Amino acid sequence: MRIFLGQRDRWEHKPLYVALLELFRAKGVAGATVIQGVAGFGPDSILHEAHLLRLSQDLPIVIEVVDSQEHIDAVFPDVDRMMSGGLITMEKVRVVHYERGGTR
């Protein structure tokens, strides 16, 4: 699952991407990564881009979530409820390597 949202999007007084990561950890999702974009636009065609002198930015955020289809399907209703805008896509992936980090 890939979730596209804005840096300013909120859920219960916290950044939406943080709330989604907390949800994924609580639900035992295999993994999720937050990626912050430097520029982007959505359906309103307003360009959002990083500027050093601008304090209030709404940069694009992408959350990549990888797990089995069953786990994604189980958490999707919560994700959908938390999103007030943005975009969610689903793609099939083939995992070729996955293990916990640690010492070698």
Side-chain angles (χ1 to χ4, degrees):
M1 175 169 46
R2 189 174 289 148
I3 303 167
F4 298 82
L5 49 101
Q7 186 179 31
R8 288 190 199 162
D9 293 340
R10 315 285 294 169
W11 174 258
E12 296 183 349
H13 309 293
K14 67 174 71 171
L16 178 58
Y17 70 90
V18 171
L20 287 169
L21 279 182
E22 290 172 354
L23 169 72
F24 298 142
R25 283 191 73 206
K27 297 283 186 170
V29 169
T33 301
V34 175
I35 304 162
Q36 182 176 31
V38 296
F41 69 91
D44 57 9
S45 294
I46 296 172
L47 187 60
H48 302 273
E49 54 188 329
H51 293 285
L52 289 175
L53 301 177
R54 189 180 303 164
L55 296 176
S56 61
Q57 300 180 63
D58 191 19
L59 295 175
I61 301 272
V62 178
I63 305 175
E64 293 274 356
V65 182
V66 178
D67 206 325
S68 68
Q69 188 65 52
E70 294 79 23
H71 286 141
I72 296 291
D73 290 344
V75 76
F76 181 77
D78 293 320
V79 173
D80 190 45
R81 179 177 50 85
M82 295 168 74
M83 301 273 300
S84 61
L87 173 71
I88 301 171
T89 63
M90 301 282 191
E91 295 92 28
K92 286 191 179 251
V93 297
R94 186 176 71 126
V95 176
V96 296
H97 181 83
Y98 178 73
E99 66 180 73
R100 293 183 185 272
T103 59
R104 290 184 179 231

PDB file of all heavy atoms in Angstrom, residues 6-8 36-38 48-60:
ATOM      1  N   GLY A   6      -0.138  15.122   2.761  1.00  0.00           N
ATOM      2  CA  GLY A   6       0.639  16.335   2.962  1.00  0.00           C
ATOM      3  C   GLY A   6       1.215  16.404   4.364  1.00  0.00           C
ATOM      4  O   GLY A   6       0.665  15.834   5.307  1.00  0.00           O
ATOM      5  N   GLN A   7       2.295  17.130   4.485  1.00  0.00           N
ATOM      6  CA  GLN A   7       2.974  17.289   5.767  1.00  0.00           C
ATOM      7  C   GLN A   7       2.063  17.921   6.819  1.00  0.00           C
ATOM      8  O   GLN A   7       2.174  17.629   8.000  1.00  0.00           O
ATOM      9  CB  GLN A   7       4.213  18.157   5.546  1.00  0.00           C
ATOM     10  CG  GLN A   7       5.118  18.332   6.719  1.00  0.00           C
ATOM     11  CD  GLN A   7       6.321  19.187   6.353  1.00  0.00           C
ATOM     12  OE1 GLN A   7       6.233  20.068   5.506  1.00  0.00           O
ATOM     13  NE2 GLN A   7       7.433  18.920   6.985  1.00  0.00           N
ATOM     14  N   ARG A   8       1.138  18.764   6.411  1.00  0.00           N
ATOM     15  CA  ARG A   8       0.230  19.439   7.359  1.00  0.00           C
ATOM     16  C   ARG A   8      -0.980  18.601   7.749  1.00  0.00           C
ATOM     17  O   ARG A   8      -1.723  18.989   8.656  1.00  0.00           O
ATOM     18  CB  ARG A   8      -0.287  20.740   6.749  1.00  0.00           C
ATOM     19  CG  ARG A   8       0.729  21.821   6.673  1.00  0.00           C
ATOM     20  CD  ARG A   8       0.038  23.104   6.286  1.00  0.00           C
ATOM     21  NE  ARG A   8       0.964  24.070   5.760  1.00  0.00           N
ATOM     22  CZ  ARG A   8       0.629  25.105   5.045  1.00  0.00           C
ATOM     23  NH1 ARG A   8      -0.625  25.327   4.744  1.00  0.00           N
ATOM     24  NH2 ARG A   8       1.535  25.945   4.604  1.00  0.00           N
ATOM     25  N   GLN A  36       9.654  11.846   2.675  1.00  0.00           N
ATOM     26  CA  GLN A  36       9.229  13.233   2.481  1.00  0.00           C
ATOM     27  C   GLN A  36       9.745  13.727   1.137  1.00  0.00           C
ATOM     28  O   GLN A  36      10.940  13.632   0.848  1.00  0.00           O
ATOM     29  CB  GLN A  36       9.758  14.133   3.592  1.00  0.00           C
ATOM     30  CG  GLN A  36       9.290  15.563   3.458  1.00  0.00           C
ATOM     31  CD  GLN A  36       9.741  16.416   4.634  1.00  0.00           C
ATOM     32  OE1 GLN A  36      10.783  16.183   5.221  1.00  0.00           O
ATOM     33  NE2 GLN A  36       8.948  17.399   4.962  1.00  0.00           N
ATOM     34  N   GLY A  37       8.827  14.248   0.326  1.00  0.00           N
ATOM     35  CA  GLY A  37       9.203  14.780  -0.968  1.00  0.00           C
ATOM     36  C   GLY A  37       9.691  16.213  -0.866  1.00  0.00           C
ATOM     37  O   GLY A  37       9.396  16.916   0.098  1.00  0.00           O
ATOM     38  N   VAL A  38      10.437  16.646  -1.867  1.00  0.00           N
ATOM     39  CA  VAL A  38      10.903  18.028  -1.906  1.00  0.00           C
ATOM     40  C   VAL A  38       9.951  18.906  -2.703  1.00  0.00           C
ATOM     41  O   VAL A  38       9.983  20.131  -2.577  1.00  0.00           O
ATOM     42  CB  VAL A  38      12.333  18.144  -2.476  1.00  0.00           C
ATOM     43  CG1 VAL A  38      13.321  17.438  -1.561  1.00  0.00           C
ATOM     44  CG2 VAL A  38      12.411  17.596  -3.878  1.00  0.00           C
ATOM     45  N   HIS A  48       3.644  22.422  -4.249  1.00  0.00           N
ATOM     46  CA  HIS A  48       4.206  22.499  -2.899  1.00  0.00           C
ATOM     47  C   HIS A  48       5.680  22.127  -3.037  1.00  0.00           C
ATOM     48  O   HIS A  48       6.000  21.047  -3.521  1.00  0.00           O
ATOM     49  CB  HIS A  48       3.508  21.518  -1.951  1.00  0.00           C
ATOM     50  CG  HIS A  48       2.039  21.735  -1.852  1.00  0.00           C
ATOM     51  ND1 HIS A  48       1.483  22.626  -0.968  1.00  0.00           N
ATOM     52  CD2 HIS A  48       1.006  21.181  -2.524  1.00  0.00           C
ATOM     53  CE1 HIS A  48       0.164  22.606  -1.097  1.00  0.00           C
ATOM     54  NE2 HIS A  48      -0.147  21.732  -2.038  1.00  0.00           N
ATOM     55  N   GLU A  49       6.567  23.026  -2.603  1.00  0.00           N
ATOM     56  CA  GLU A  49       7.986  22.730  -2.706  1.00  0.00           C
ATOM     57  C   GLU A  49       8.743  23.302  -1.521  1.00  0.00           C
ATOM     58  O   GLU A  49       8.274  24.224  -0.860  1.00  0.00           O
ATOM     59  CB  GLU A  49       8.566  23.241  -4.020  1.00  0.00           C
ATOM     60  CG  GLU A  49       8.328  24.701  -4.300  1.00  0.00           C
ATOM     61  CD  GLU A  49       8.756  25.090  -5.710  1.00  0.00           C
ATOM     62  OE1 GLU A  49       9.698  24.486  -6.251  1.00  0.00           O
ATOM     63  OE2 GLU A  49       8.147  26.001  -6.263  1.00  0.00           O
ATOM     64  N   ALA A  50       9.904  22.738  -1.258  1.00  0.00           N
ATOM     65  CA  ALA A  50      10.714  23.147  -0.111  1.00  0.00           C
ATOM     66  C   ALA A  50      11.407  24.466  -0.398  1.00  0.00           C
ATOM     67  O   ALA A  50      11.986  24.660  -1.457  1.00  0.00           O
ATOM     68  CB  ALA A  50      11.750  22.072   0.199  1.00  0.00           C
ATOM     69  N   HIS A  51      11.313  25.404   0.545  1.00  0.00           N
ATOM     70  CA  HIS A  51      12.015  26.687   0.487  1.00  0.00           C
ATOM     71  C   HIS A  51      12.659  26.916   1.848  1.00  0.00           C
ATOM     72  O   HIS A  51      12.017  26.738   2.877  1.00  0.00           O
ATOM     73  CB  HIS A  51      11.050  27.847   0.192  1.00  0.00           C
ATOM     74  CG  HIS A  51      10.467  27.800  -1.166  1.00  0.00           C
ATOM     75  ND1 HIS A  51      11.175  28.130  -2.298  1.00  0.00           N
ATOM     76  CD2 HIS A  51       9.228  27.448  -1.592  1.00  0.00           C
ATOM     77  CE1 HIS A  51      10.395  28.002  -3.362  1.00  0.00           C
ATOM     78  NE2 HIS A  51       9.208  27.577  -2.963  1.00  0.00           N
ATOM     79  N   LEU A  52      13.899  27.326   1.844  1.00  0.00           N
ATOM     80  CA  LEU A  52      14.615  27.547   3.104  1.00  0.00           C
ATOM     81  C   LEU A  52      13.979  28.622   3.965  1.00  0.00           C
ATOM     82  O   LEU A  52      13.985  28.540   5.184  1.00  0.00           O
ATOM     83  CB  LEU A  52      16.071  27.933   2.825  1.00  0.00           C
ATOM     84  CG  LEU A  52      16.947  26.818   2.284  1.00  0.00           C
ATOM     85  CD1 LEU A  52      18.335  27.354   1.939  1.00  0.00           C
ATOM     86  CD2 LEU A  52      17.061  25.687   3.279  1.00  0.00           C
ATOM     87  N   LEU A  53      13.421  29.664   3.353  1.00  0.00           N
ATOM     88  CA  LEU A  53      12.916  30.793   4.122  1.00  0.00           C
ATOM     89  C   LEU A  53      11.447  30.674   4.505  1.00  0.00           C
ATOM     90  O   LEU A  53      10.933  31.503   5.225  1.00  0.00           O
ATOM     91  CB  LEU A  53      13.154  32.097   3.346  1.00  0.00           C
ATOM     92  CG  LEU A  53      14.621  32.397   3.022  1.00  0.00           C
ATOM     93  CD1 LEU A  53      14.737  33.661   2.191  1.00  0.00           C
ATOM     94  CD2 LEU A  53      15.436  32.519   4.295  1.00  0.00           C
ATOM     95  N   ARG A  54      10.762  29.665   4.034  1.00  0.00           N
ATOM     96  CA  ARG A  54       9.346  29.498   4.335  1.00  0.00           C
ATOM     97  C   ARG A  54       9.183  28.549   5.520  1.00  0.00           C
ATOM     98  O   ARG A  54       9.643  27.414   5.489  1.00  0.00           O
ATOM     99  CB  ARG A  54       8.607  28.937   3.119  1.00  0.00           C
ATOM    100  CG  ARG A  54       7.101  28.963   3.318  1.00  0.00           C
ATOM    101  CD  ARG A  54       6.342  28.413   2.136  1.00  0.00           C
ATOM    102  NE  ARG A  54       6.674  29.122   0.922  1.00  0.00           N
ATOM    103  CZ  ARG A  54       6.407  28.684  -0.291  1.00  0.00           C
ATOM    104  NH1 ARG A  54       5.826  27.511  -0.445  1.00  0.00           N
ATOM    105  NH2 ARG A  54       6.716  29.379  -1.356  1.00  0.00           N
ATOM    106  N   LEU A  55       8.536  29.023   6.578  1.00  0.00           N
ATOM    107  CA  LEU A  55       8.373  28.208   7.781  1.00  0.00           C
ATOM    108  C   LEU A  55       7.201  27.242   7.697  1.00  0.00           C
ATOM    109  O   LEU A  55       7.252  26.154   8.229  1.00  0.00           O
ATOM    110  CB  LEU A  55       8.212  29.119   9.006  1.00  0.00           C
ATOM    111  CG  LEU A  55       9.416  29.997   9.333  1.00  0.00           C
ATOM    112  CD1 LEU A  55       9.093  30.908  10.509  1.00  0.00           C
ATOM    113  CD2 LEU A  55      10.629  29.142   9.642  1.00  0.00           C
ATOM    114  N   SER A  56       6.120  27.653   7.056  1.00  0.00           N
ATOM    115  CA  SER A  56       4.928  26.800   6.998  1.00  0.00           C
ATOM    116  C   SER A  56       4.825  26.168   5.621  1.00  0.00           C
ATOM    117  O   SER A  56       4.300  26.755   4.691  1.00  0.00           O
ATOM    118  CB  SER A  56       3.679  27.613   7.310  1.00  0.00           C
ATOM    119  OG  SER A  56       3.518  28.641   6.360  1.00  0.00           O
ATOM    120  N   GLN A  57       5.362  24.975   5.495  1.00  0.00           N
ATOM    121  CA  GLN A  57       5.339  24.256   4.236  1.00  0.00           C
ATOM    122  C   GLN A  57       4.369  23.083   4.345  1.00  0.00           C
ATOM    123  O   GLN A  57       4.080  22.614   5.435  1.00  0.00           O
ATOM    124  CB  GLN A  57       6.735  23.743   3.900  1.00  0.00           C
ATOM    125  CG  GLN A  57       7.752  24.867   3.766  1.00  0.00           C
ATOM    126  CD  GLN A  57       9.118  24.335   3.424  1.00  0.00           C
ATOM    127  OE1 GLN A  57       9.295  23.758   2.376  1.00  0.00           O
ATOM    128  NE2 GLN A  57      10.064  24.535   4.317  1.00  0.00           N
ATOM    129  N   ASP A  58       3.888  22.645   3.223  1.00  0.00           N
ATOM    130  CA  ASP A  58       3.034  21.463   3.180  1.00  0.00           C
ATOM    131  C   ASP A  58       3.620  20.503   2.157  1.00  0.00           C
ATOM    132  O   ASP A  58       3.047  20.260   1.112  1.00  0.00           O
ATOM    133  CB  ASP A  58       1.595  21.842   2.825  1.00  0.00           C
ATOM    134  CG  ASP A  58       0.624  20.691   3.027  1.00  0.00           C
ATOM    135  OD1 ASP A  58       0.962  19.741   3.758  1.00  0.00           O
ATOM    136  OD2 ASP A  58      -0.464  20.723   2.432  1.00  0.00           O
ATOM    137  N   LEU A  59       4.801  19.985   2.483  1.00  0.00           N
ATOM    138  CA  LEU A  59       5.508  19.118   1.553  1.00  0.00           C
ATOM    139  C   LEU A  59       4.806  17.770   1.420  1.00  0.00           C
ATOM    140  O   LEU A  59       4.134  17.317   2.347  1.00  0.00           O
ATOM    141  CB  LEU A  59       6.951  18.916   2.024  1.00  0.00           C
ATOM    142  CG  LEU A  59       7.804  20.180   2.032  1.00  0.00           C
ATOM    143  CD1 LEU A  59       9.164  19.889   2.620  1.00  0.00           C
ATOM    144  CD2 LEU A  59       7.929  20.757   0.634  1.00  0.00           C
ATOM    145  N   PRO A  60       4.985  17.122   0.275  1.00  0.00           N
ATOM    146  CA  PRO A  60       4.360  15.810   0.089  1.00  0.00           C
ATOM    147  C   PRO A  60       5.040  14.747   0.950  1.00  0.00           C
ATOM    148  O   PRO A  60       6.250  14.772   1.161  1.00  0.00           O
ATOM    149  CB  PRO A  60       4.565  15.522  -1.401  1.00  0.00           C
ATOM    150  CG  PRO A  60       5.638  16.428  -1.859  1.00  0.00           C
ATOM    151  CD  PRO A  60       5.675  17.584  -0.922  1.00  0.00           C
TER     152      PRO A  60
END
